Amino acid sequence: VNATTAPIEAPLPLSGIGSRPSGWWGMILLIATEATLFLLLIASYLYLRNETKGPWPPAPFPDPGIVKPLGVTLLVVVSILPLGWARRRMLVGASGRARLGIALALVLGVAFLVLQWLLVRESLRTVTPRDNAYGSIYYTIIGVHFVHVAAGVLGLGWALLRTPRFTPERHLTLRVISLYWTFVVVISAVVFLTLYLVPRG
Amino acid sequence: MTLAQLDRLERSWAEPRGLVAALTTVDHKRIGVRYLLTASVFFLLGGVEALVLRLQLAGPNRRLLSPEAYNQLFSMHGITMIFLFVTPMLSGFGNYFVPLQIGARDMAFPRLNAFSYWVFLASGLFIYSSLVLGIAPDAGWFAYAPLSTTSPGLNLDFYGLGLILLAISTTAGAVNFIVTMARLRAPGMSLNRMPLFCWSVLATSLSVVFALPALTLDCLFLELQRKWGFHFFDSAHGGNTLLWQHLFWIFGHPDVYIIFLPAVGIVSTIIPVFSQRPMVARTWSILAIMATAFLGFGVWVHHMFAVGLPQLTMTFFAAASMTIALPAGIQVFAWLATIITGRPVMKTPFLYIVGFIVVFVIGGLSGVMFAVIPFDQQITDSYFVVAHFHYVLFGGAVFPIIAALHYWLPKMSGRLFDERVGRAGFWLIFLGFNLTFFPMHISGLLGMPRRVYTYPAGEGWGLLNLLSTIGAFVLAFGLVVMAANLAWSLVAGAPAGENPWNANTLEWTTSSPPPSYNFPVTPAVRSADPAWDHAAREDDRERLRDGMLVFPDGHETAGTTELGGDLDEVLRMPEGSGWPLALAVSLAVVVTGLIASSNIAAALGIVCCIVALAGWHWRTPEGRAA
């Protein structure tokens, strides 16, 4: 209905087909501000590298390696597949399968949190954020990223709790949390590229 | 509309009084008033701090304040005015008037709105508790490293943690404004018909979304370094002190526009009304607002011309800074053309706008001087800078804020202030302001550095400082006269009626004060000056009689398309809730735990946050997904 030309008394379309839900907009803006935070974190990393003479990472830090970080990052990245599948199942009303998809993504997210926790604990035995500025920014990026994955995992758990209320038309929680998890996936890849490829470049 | 319908509308939106209702309300008007009152209290505190500083500086070698007390007071004066007064005050006007100006019944996320206010209050109390304890931040409002990283005590921890808490409030508020304006505009209010004040709040909110993370990150780095021995700003361990400055001004310059642009919106609201004609070059004004917000992100290094950066970098940022003059020029000429081609009505709100133009142009001229690098290097960190940014901030923000108080208070209270006392207050404030800050240009050029707790006799600064101190008290007296007049109007002012200024925007088409549901019938907008569009308002009244677009059952408001403003759905809005307050208190527990070095309290606070978030959303019905 074009309210500027059509009479306003025309029947009201209650479905809302011409606009995005408010919750979707809210999540987009949350992601925008969080993405800026990560952009600035990475800019700070590159700034400190640029201002450092000599090897990067500086002693006593060893080469950060690439295989284990790649493995844990892939756990998060592939979780986008079951979650996307869950959303598509929900749209056709297959809520059992949607629940399975969300649960799979949740398991992958939890696996990342556990493995990353163990990896960080191991590396903290030899080098810490107090050793130098490289350690500070490295562990801070790891930590801020970890918190974002953890928040996403809580969100997935929340979506799983609420699946009984979802219908093909009304499941904004799933849509909004999928949006956030997509952001987490993209950020995981960007963090990996920054922390583990920049020292080789 | 039948009486039964009106009755249902009244009952759906009834705002009960009492303590529980006060703690759980989500009414944007009550929250807006709270923002305005709380920010005014902080203005009073910051103002008293300024008067004490001026007493100390009234003559050479005075001993009213110790150097430590002086450092805390001037830092708190800056922190208060920038973070706890100007932005929340403008949020208050935004909260109250954005929904009214776009014809909505609430903000897009009413509970988030309540949450923003409670977190703002919590962060203000948190930061001010340090002053009560005598350990307030004492490294200036921009807290440069390494001074801020090495200074002992908890002083700077109150700064870092308090500002992180405040950033949560400001960001949540900005997101709420953007979504409100995207989704809740009255049917027919396409984006180009949105009032200019709303446009300025939109531009500001977008700036907040992209600028505040820099401050948050800076404060996170600061706290990690101060409390846990990290090395971001510590050059002995590979860190860099300039990282603080870069991140701070990546936030800090956009923040200048976060402060200034809502004031621009207020000026663009008042000038057409008191010139009794539509805004000249309205579209250009909108573009100027958006361009200023955008360009504000590319000029931060002009705060750092004296730190020794490469010449090429500085030249780039100097050129970028000068381009800001383009949208600013468009804006000022559009205002002047509106005044010249209109029939100006010289009442108090307009008087403050004229004062704003005069003072702000002076501040703008000294601002252009700083874009010239050699001049900047000569004059930076002197009282000339203090004079400049008070002309910009007091002229650019406080004059419009006072204008807005005079302009909008009759809508909020239903009563008019006394015009003669209003004018007297203006002249006292205008003269007091110039007497305070104009001499600072000269004392700065004579070499007086800023942020010194006293100065020796014989430098020729004494008389100028005495004039500034006298001016400060004249200014304070003017502010008291202004505030007393407004307070008096609340109890004894003449009735204002719906539209005492013959204004052009929708808030003036409902009663003064507005009912809790804002509009009995959702207005259908057909122009950029809807209150002057009498045919459309007559159609509204007809719809009201027929009961169309009344939505009497429950908290409901019209949802429209983002760009065209076409009616799209009826949105069911949440009602009062205690969870926003619970979440705000939980966040306050986290920062209090952190400052007390109690990890258990902080962890407990985080658990409470998660519980509060779950409680908040558990009963919310599932929204549409497509």
Side-chain angles (χ1 to χ4, degrees):
Chain A
V1 178
N2 186 341
T4 56
T5 52
I8 206 89
E9 286 75 10
L12 203 57
L14 289 172
S15 53
I17 43 167
S19 57
R20 307 271 191 172
S22 300
W24 184 90
W25 278 108
M27 181 51 79
I28 285 291
L29 291 165
L30 175 69
I31 289 172
T33 196
E34 295 276 49
T36 311
L37 187 77
F38 275 98
L39 185 76
L40 292 164
L41 265 172
I42 288 165
S44 302
Y45 176 93
L46 296 174
Y47 180 78
L48 289 170
R49 171 176 180 262
N50 199 37
E51 299 288 311
T52 301
K53 310 281 175 286
W56 186 262
F61 280 84
D63 182 297
I66 200 163
V67 178
K68 286 177 185 170
L70 181 63
V72 290
T73 304
L74 281 177
L75 284 176
V76 180
V77 171
V78 299
S79 70
I80 198 70
L81 298 173
L83 194 62
W85 180 71
R87 175 84 206 290
R88 287 193 299 279
R89 291 295 93 200
M90 196 61 245
L91 282 170
V92 297
S95 47
R97 303 211 164 167
R99 189 189 299 237
L100 179 66
I102 302 170
L104 272 175
L106 181 66
V107 167
L108 287 166
V110 171
F112 167 85
L113 291 177
V114 172
L115 291 176
Q116 179 80 330
W117 183 272
L118 295 174
L119 283 178
V120 169
R121 211 175 57 169
E122 185 190 310
S123 82
L124 277 174
R125 288 210 187 92
T126 52
V127 280
T128 75
R130 296 178 192 192
D131 290 337
N132 58 28
Y134 168 81
S136 303
I137 190 73
Y138 173 83
Y139 284 109
T140 302
I141 292 177
I142 294 270
V144 173
H145 175 248
F146 188 90
V147 168
H148 280 76
V149 179
V153 162
L154 285 176
L156 289 173
W158 182 251
L160 201 58
L161 269 179
R162 281 182 70 106
T163 35
R165 303 180 187 208
F166 292 168
T167 67
E169 294 80 29
R170 305 188 83 82
H171 53 268
L172 186 61
T173 304
L174 178 57
R175 185 174 184 200
V176 164
I177 284 173
S178 297
L179 204 56
Y180 182 78
W181 191 257
T182 309
F183 162 70
V184 168
V185 165
V186 172
I187 278 302
S188 302
V190 173
V191 163
F192 171 78
L193 293 175
T194 307
L195 293 185
Y196 303 104
L197 291 194
V198 166
R200 284 152 199 277
Chain B
M1 175 167 62
T2 62
L3 275 177
Q5 251 186 333
L6 185 63
D7 199 41
R8 293 213 302 279
L9 190 64
E10 289 276 0
R11 257 186 290 120
S12 300
W13 290 86
E15 271 289 309
R17 296 284 145 178
L19 185 64
V20 175
L23 295 179
T24 58
T25 185
V26 293
D27 181 336
H28 71 97
K29 296 183 290 300
R30 287 181 84 177
I31 294 169
V33 168
R34 282 174 193 182
Y35 261 108
L36 294 173
L37 284 175
T38 312
S40 299
V41 170
F42 284 122
F43 182 69
L44 183 67
L45 292 170
V48 169
E49 285 155 12
L51 289 178
V52 177
L53 298 175
R54 279 318 318 166
L55 281 177
Q56 163 70 14
L57 293 174
N61 297 317
R62 287 175 57 89
R63 290 283 175 273
L64 178 67
L65 293 171
S66 65
E68 293 77 22
Y70 187 90
N71 287 348
Q72 292 190 18
L73 280 184
F74 88 72
S75 301
M76 284 301 282
H77 170 71
I79 291 165
T80 305
M81 292 304 195
I82 299 270
F83 293 113
L84 301 176
F85 161 61
V86 180
T87 309
M89 192 78 183
L90 294 165
S91 289
F93 287 122
N95 257 299
Y96 200 104
F97 288 106
V98 164
L100 280 165
Q101 286 203 326
I102 63 173
R105 283 182 174 158
D106 209 331
M107 298 280 282
F109 304 116
R111 292 174 297 186
L112 188 67
N113 203 22
F115 169 74
S116 301
Y117 171 74
W118 293 123
V119 175
F120 156 56
L121 181 64
S123 69
L125 293 175
F126 178 77
I127 292 171
Y128 258 86
S129 66
S130 68
L131 191 65
V132 176
L133 297 170
I135 46 172
D138 53 2
W141 81 276
F142 46 68
Y144 274 6
L147 178 62
S148 58
T149 53
T150 52
S151 101
L154 291 174
N155 308 45
L156 266 299
D157 299 313
F158 278 101
Y159 175 94
L161 293 169
L163 291 188
I164 290 174
L165 192 58
L166 184 62
I168 295 171
S169 158
T170 314
T171 306
V175 168
N176 212 345
F177 279 131
I178 296 169
V179 181
T180 302
M181 281 180 263
R183 297 277 293 115
L184 266 59
R185 299 195 309 277
M189 187 180 279
S190 49
L191 211 47
N192 57 326
R193 290 175 182 163
M194 191 163 74
L196 288 165
F197 176 67
C198 296
W199 271 104
S200 72
V201 175
L202 179 63
T204 305
S205 302
L206 285 167
S207 290
V208 164
V209 164
F210 294 105
L212 270 192
L215 179 67
T216 306
L217 192 62
D218 228 4
C219 289
L220 176 70
F221 287 172
L222 177 70
E223 282 311 295
L224 288 173
Q225 176 151 345
R226 285 180 60 87
K227 284 190 95 74
W228 287 286
F230 286 41
H231 297 293
F232 299 103
F233 309 122
D234 171 7
S235 51
H237 292 84
N240 195 310
T241 51
L242 285 190
L243 180 60
W244 170 272
Q245 292 192 29
H246 278 296
L247 285 172
F248 191 88
W249 291 115
I250 287 172
F251 150 77
H253 201 82
D255 193 52
V256 172
Y257 299 118
I258 289 167
I259 291 167
F260 172 57
L261 285 177
V264 166
I266 289 169
V267 176
S268 297
T269 303
I270 292 180
I271 282 183
V273 171
F274 285 82
S275 305
Q276 287 293 298
R277 58 149 297 148
M279 181 79 182
V280 171
R282 198 185 122 86
T283 309
W284 285 94
S285 283
I286 294 171
L287 291 173
I289 289 170
M290 298 308 274
T292 308
F294 181 75
L295 290 173
F297 281 86
V299 301
W300 80 86
V301 166
H302 77 210
H303 296 267
M304 301 165 61
F305 281 157
V307 301
L309 296 170
Q311 194 65 42
L312 183 66
T313 312
M314 296 212 291
T315 311
F316 172 84
F317 280 94
S321 304
M322 288 179 192
T323 61
I324 299 268
L326 295 175
I330 291 171
Q331 189 69 73
V332 171
F333 284 120
W335 288 331
L336 293 180
T338 309
I339 296 172
I340 290 167
T341 58
R343 287 168 283 130
V345 185
M346 274 293 168
K347 290 201 171 163
T348 308
F350 193 63
L351 220 47
Y352 276 101
I353 298 303
V354 175
F356 152 81
I357 293 179
V358 172
V359 170
F360 188 70
V361 165
I362 297 173
L365 287 175
S366 56
V368 173
M369 294 158 80
F370 284 112
V372 181
I373 296 168
F375 180 84
D376 179 88
Q377 292 181 337
Q378 188 63 36
I379 217 73
T380 194
D381 278 336
S382 78
Y383 259 84
F384 192 89
V385 180
V386 180
H388 159 70
F389 68 67
H390 281 91
Y391 269 79
V392 174
L393 291 176
F394 202 103
V398 181
F399 273 87
I401 283 172
I402 301 175
L405 279 174
H406 286 86
Y407 177 68
W408 272 321
L409 200 64
K411 172 53 64 182
M412 300 163 77
S413 69
R415 291 175 184 275
L416 286 167
F417 53 88
D418 185 274
E419 183 61 33
R420 276 172 314 163
V421 182
R423 284 169 201 226
F426 166 76
W427 285 110
L428 284 168
I429 290 173
F430 184 78
L431 295 174
F433 170 81
N434 282 291
L435 184 57
T436 310
F437 294 104
F438 196 81
M440 290 185 189
H441 288 110
I442 303 166
S443 47
L445 288 172
L446 291 178
M448 181 170 170
R450 66 192 283 204
R451 298 178 163 172
V452 287
Y453 81 103
T454 190
Y455 50 91
E459 298 279 359
W461 305 338
L463 178 66
L464 292 163
N465 273 283
L466 184 62
L467 286 176
S468 289
T469 301
I470 295 169
F473 280 87
V474 175
L475 174 57
F477 178 64
L479 287 166
V480 169
V481 170
M482 181 275 294
N485 187 27
L486 293 180
W488 169 86
S489 82
L490 297 181
V491 283
E498 262 187 19
N499 193 354
W501 316 119
N502 188 26
N504 55 345
T505 40
L506 281 175
E507 75 271 31
W508 301 101
T509 63
T510 188
S511 59
S512 310
S516 54
Y517 43 86
N518 289 356
F519 302 93
V521 61
T522 301
V525 173
R526 297 200 292 242
S527 75
D529 302 297
W532 288 344
D533 186 351
H534 298 296
R537 301 290 70 79
E538 188 49 49
D539 289 352
D540 284 348
R541 278 188 283 276
E542 202 165 296
R543 268 194 296 279
L544 183 58
R545 280 192 292 274
D546 299 342
M548 302 292 299
L549 294 186
V550 174
F551 314 130
D553 301 306
H555 274 209
E556 289 182 334
T557 194
T560 50
T561 56
E562 292 90 347
L563 298 177
D566 297 326
L567 190 57
D568 196 40
E569 63 180 323
V570 178
L571 296 170
R572 182 159 273 254
M573 311 301 289
E575 309 199 2
S577 164
W579 292 112
L581 178 59
L583 183 58
V585 171
S586 307
L587 282 173
V589 170
V590 175
V591 292
T592 311
L594 288 174
I595 203 140
S597 294
S598 164
N599 292 338
I600 296 170
L604 188 73
I606 290 171
V607 172
C608 290
C609 285
I610 294 170
V611 171
L613 269 172
W616 179 328
H617 289 100
W618 181 241
R619 296 168 73 87
T620 308
E622 227 13 80
R624 69 180 166 91

